[in-house]
Amino acid sequence: MTNKALSRRTVLRGILATGAAVTIPLPLLEIMLNESGTAHAQTKTPVSPLYVTWFFGNGTLPGRWKPTRTGSGQAWDLSPELQPLADLKSYLTVISGLENKLVVSGVEHPSGSAGATTGAPLSGNAVRAASIDQVVADAISAGAPYRSLEVGVTPATPNGPQDSLHTVSHRGPNARNNAEFDPKAVFNRLFMNGLPEPSDDGAEQAAKLANVRKSVLDSVMQDGASLKQRLGAADRHRIDEHLESIRAIEQRLETMPSGGGSTSACKSPTAPTVGKDAQSEAPPAVNSAMVELSALALACERTRVLSFMFSLPAAHVYYRHLAQDMNDDFHDTICHGDAGDQSSQPRVDKGVMYTMRCLNEFLTKLKSTPHGSSNLLDSSLVYVTSDTAWGKVHTRTEWPVLFAGKAGGRLRGDEHRNFPGDNLSKALLTVAQIMGLNVTEFGVDAGRVTSPLAGIQV
């Protein structure tokens, strides 16, 4: 084996039976890094942390979300609504007490979404500033095939006019980055040079698509065999696992029909479901497919910046697959209509707990995915937030904020810190500084801040 370093941009290439080109990106291998694993061997540039905004609509029950004790390690415990993340406690930094000072009466969800992601108020139906993911992308995305990637689990929305109800990623005013909610389309974009799904206009096209599906990995095997001759045992094993994971996703997507599905298909978390959520259910199978695709995109650095929109602001989602009593609009009927206080709306709690289980699946996948000398969760900062605090009456205090991951050693993890009454925008400035941006202020008007959250960064 030669000791010559391998470029981070190396891909496996092939040609499909249809004539389309295929490029399979590689994970971060040992041969691509310097001896300490902190920089790319060829370019000497430091390995940057990866960034994710993980967003869920309709808020939480603050009385069941906020941990009762602050501190680190054994000094604090997870709250009931954070219990689904128990196995990842060492990777969590829970931040409580923050207030979204940009919430406007009458447009609480769109102004709350804008405040939580841009730190700026709305101007009519448009945001006034770029969202935090795009601010980070400006700094770390040079050279990545995709400046950022936006995916989602359910397209359920209130259909309001504000841009901040339809995405949480904005390049600036009137410049939305809309999420892709179809796992098949995400797969094609990542691995098949954006090859679109053909329309259903005949058996010949259907046969061609099936041939494509079967031959994506087969087409790059010769290139892969040549590359593996240059690698050590650990890197060869990692490439084998990487290709097997792509094959598994292909096979799963082959079992997902493209049209609508019956409600009964969503009764079980393991049941097959539609390729794209067509019934506003945020089904487990779609979440799982998007989790796997997102992890591959980050591991292969097809992108270094991801927005994962589990559900959109004020999402009119139906979690009917959870229980018989959940077949109601989660936003209108359950959050706003059910009796109770910030600690006792059982159906709201059931929806939030499901959301956190889906977040746990995402974070667990990052932790189990090798990246350089560590794993994706060690190497990433995941900013988790929502568009309101308590959905029933649109409270703006005790805004849900969670940092997950270690950001390449820039976050300690296993902490709960309380900042009573502090501006939510301080969380966004903290994100920017953790990601290496040389900025000392963030936000606009009531969202403008000039200091980060104290003590969060290592």
Side-chain angles (χ1 to χ4, degrees):
M1 184 195 77
T2 177
N3 290 324
K4 185 177 180 180
L6 191 68
S7 169
R8 181 66 186 98
R9 298 184 181 182
T10 303
V11 296
L12 302 181
R13 301 181 185 276
I15 302 295
L16 299 176
T18 59
V22 174
T23 57
I24 299 294
L26 298 176
L28 190 60
L29 303 172
E30 292 178 4
I31 196 174
M32 297 174 179
L33 300 173
N34 62 7
E35 291 184 0
S36 64
T38 59
H40 297 291
Q42 278 200 338
T43 63
K44 312 303 180 186
T45 55
V47 177
S48 171
L50 306 171
Y51 175 75
V52 179
T53 294
W54 200 96
F55 188 93
F56 63 104
N58 298 312
T60 68
L61 291 179
R64 290 180 57 77
W65 170 273
K66 182 178 180 178
T68 57
R69 300 191 297 164
T70 59
S72 60
Q74 296 183 353
W76 75 289
D77 304 294
L78 291 171
S79 64
E81 288 190 341
L82 292 174
Q83 276 299 320
L85 307 174
D87 289 343
L88 299 167
K89 182 173 178 282
S90 64
Y91 285 91
L92 305 181
T93 303
V94 181
I95 299 169
S96 61
L98 299 182
E99 178 179 352
N100 190 337
K101 298 181 184 294
L102 292 165
V103 173
V104 175
S105 179
V107 285
E108 289 91 347
H109 286 286
S111 60
S113 170
T117 57
T118 72
L122 293 172
S123 176
N125 292 330
V127 300
R128 286 180 56 184
S131 52
I132 184 62
D133 63 305
Q134 296 302 297
V135 174
V136 171
D138 284 341
I140 72 169
S141 290
Y146 296 106
R147 183 177 179 277
S148 62
L149 185 67
E150 296 78 33
V151 302
V153 175
T154 178
T157 131
N159 295 314
Q162 295 90 357
D163 285 347
S164 56
L165 288 177
H166 297 274
T167 185
V168 297
S169 179
H170 309 268
R171 297 184 301 282
N174 301 304
R176 294 178 0 197
N177 291 325
N178 293 324
E180 176 55 67
F181 295 97
D182 185 350
K184 296 179 182 179
V186 175
F187 183 91
N188 288 343
R189 185 179 181 193
L190 292 175
F191 303 115
M192 298 169 66
N193 295 337
L195 186 70
E197 294 282 344
S199 57
D200 295 329
D201 58 357
E204 184 177 353
Q205 272 193 324
K208 285 182 178 180
L209 178 61
N211 195 22
V212 167
R213 287 281 182 241
K214 292 176 182 177
S215 60
V216 169
L217 292 183
D218 296 337
S219 69
V220 301
M221 287 304 178
Q222 183 176 355
D223 198 16
S226 176
L227 172 65
K228 286 166 68 175
Q229 294 177 8
R230 302 174 54 189
L231 304 179
D235 280 346
R236 289 198 302 270
H237 179 67
R238 186 171 295 187
I239 284 184
D240 287 339
E241 289 186 331
H242 176 62
L243 295 179
E244 287 174 7
S245 69
I246 295 175
R247 177 77 81 188
I249 293 175
E250 271 196 297
Q251 292 171 343
R252 175 178 295 183
L253 294 181
E254 286 174 7
T255 69
M256 293 183 173
S258 296
S262 65
T263 302
S264 61
C266 297
K267 296 288 185 177
S268 167
T270 59
T273 187
V274 294
K276 177 180 179 180
D277 177 17
Q279 298 180 354
S280 299
E281 292 183 324
V286 175
N287 184 72
S288 295
M290 285 302 189
V291 162
E292 293 179 11
L293 289 165
S294 296
L296 279 171
L298 292 170
C300 302
E301 288 195 10
R302 299 297 277 180
T303 188
R304 300 183 189 121
V305 175
L306 173 78
S307 288
F308 193 107
M309 287 164 254
F310 175 78
S311 57
L312 292 168
H316 288 214
V317 62
Y318 291 75
Y319 297 129
R320 56 175 67 94
H321 58 279
L322 295 179
Q324 190 171 9
D325 69 343
M326 293 296 286
N327 191 17
D328 283 311
D329 183 330
F330 189 73
H331 172 269
D332 282 4
T333 305
I334 296 178
C335 287
H336 285 303
D338 282 10
D341 57 28
Q342 295 191 34
S343 300
S344 61
Q345 278 186 298
R347 292 202 297 174
V348 173
D349 187 56
K350 193 175 296 184
V352 175
M353 293 289 281
Y354 170 63
T355 301
M356 291 300 102
R357 291 197 297 273
C358 290
L359 171 61
N360 179 67
E361 182 178 8
F362 176 75
L363 298 178
T364 300
K365 182 65 177 179
L366 296 189
K367 183 183 176 185
S368 66
T369 303
H371 187 68
S373 59
S374 185
N375 62 65
L376 280 178
L377 193 54
D378 273 322
S379 305
S380 301
L381 167 56
V382 183
Y383 169 50
V384 180
T385 193
S386 188
D387 56 319
T388 190
W390 181 32
K392 185 174 178 66
V393 294
H394 300 133
T395 55
R396 57 190 280 173
T397 59
E398 290 299 346
W399 204 268
V401 172
L402 170 67
F403 292 168
K406 298 291 183 71
R410 302 176 190 184
L411 279 171
R412 285 177 294 272
D414 203 2
E415 291 185 331
H416 169 217
R417 291 180 174 265
N418 188 35
F419 300 90
D422 260 355
N423 197 317
L424 174 62
S425 290
K426 286 190 175 184
L428 300 177
L429 179 56
T430 305
V431 167
Q433 292 187 353
I434 290 171
M435 294 304 300
L437 280 70
N438 185 24
V439 292
T440 56
E441 65 177 71
F442 200 94
V444 177
D445 294 348
R448 181 176 178 271
V449 296
T450 57
S451 62
L453 298 170
I456 298 295
Q457 302 175 62
V458 173

